[in-house]
Amino acid sequence: ALKEKAAEASSSGGSIAISRIKTGAQKLSMLQQLLALGHKYQVPRLQLWCERELCKHVSIEDVCSVLCQAHLYEARQLEKHCLDFIRANMKHVLQTDAFGSVWRDW
């Protein structure tokens, strides 16, 4: 199913029906999966689209996991956005469990 979404997003210029996804967590998860597929199958348009969309959905709770994924998949624009977001929201991000995990594991 994800391969079909990746192909559909790439062929339609990234205009898949991701807006139908109800919750922010579901949308974030789908975008992260699509970013992984874009990287795996080397689909630059899909990767860039996912980066732009993920930048719109970064939150205090999710920024650390998104940053790790951005680093893993060489999504430079997204990685920079996450670091800027962390810098701007440092007090709140430091209090998350995810930040503790990143700090410990990296």
Side-chain angles (χ1 to χ4, degrees):
L2 287 176
K3 284 184 185 179
E4 291 83 22
K5 294 250 186 243
E8 181 183 337
S10 178
S11 66
S12 66
S15 61
I16 64 173
I18 200 135
S19 61
R20 283 188 262 157
I21 298 173
K22 302 284 187 239
T23 69
Q26 289 173 327
K27 188 176 284 191
L28 185 73
S29 177
M30 177 64 81
L31 288 168
Q32 288 178 303
Q33 291 173 20
L34 286 171
L35 179 65
L37 285 171
H39 179 77
K40 180 178 181 177
Y41 295 108
Q42 294 296 300
V43 183
R45 284 179 58 182
L46 178 60
Q47 288 176 275
L48 290 173
W49 179 81
C50 288
E51 280 189 67
R52 281 193 310 271
E53 290 300 309
L54 281 166
C55 285
K56 296 176 191 175
H57 295 90
V58 170
S59 69
I60 289 170
E61 296 81 22
D62 301 316
V63 68
C64 293
S65 68
V66 174
L67 173 62
C68 291
Q69 189 177 32
H71 183 73
L72 177 67
Y73 297 127
E74 301 172 354
R76 301 294 176 231
Q77 173 186 341
L78 180 59
E79 189 172 1
K80 181 186 179 321
H81 178 78
C82 288
L83 291 171
D84 291 343
F85 185 91
I86 291 170
R87 214 172 284 119
N89 299 284
M90 182 68 74
K91 180 180 175 184
H92 301 290
V93 173
L94 287 175
Q95 297 173 359
T96 64
D97 292 334
F99 184 81
S101 296
V102 170
W103 182 259
R104 186 180 55 250
D105 297 342
W106 249 3

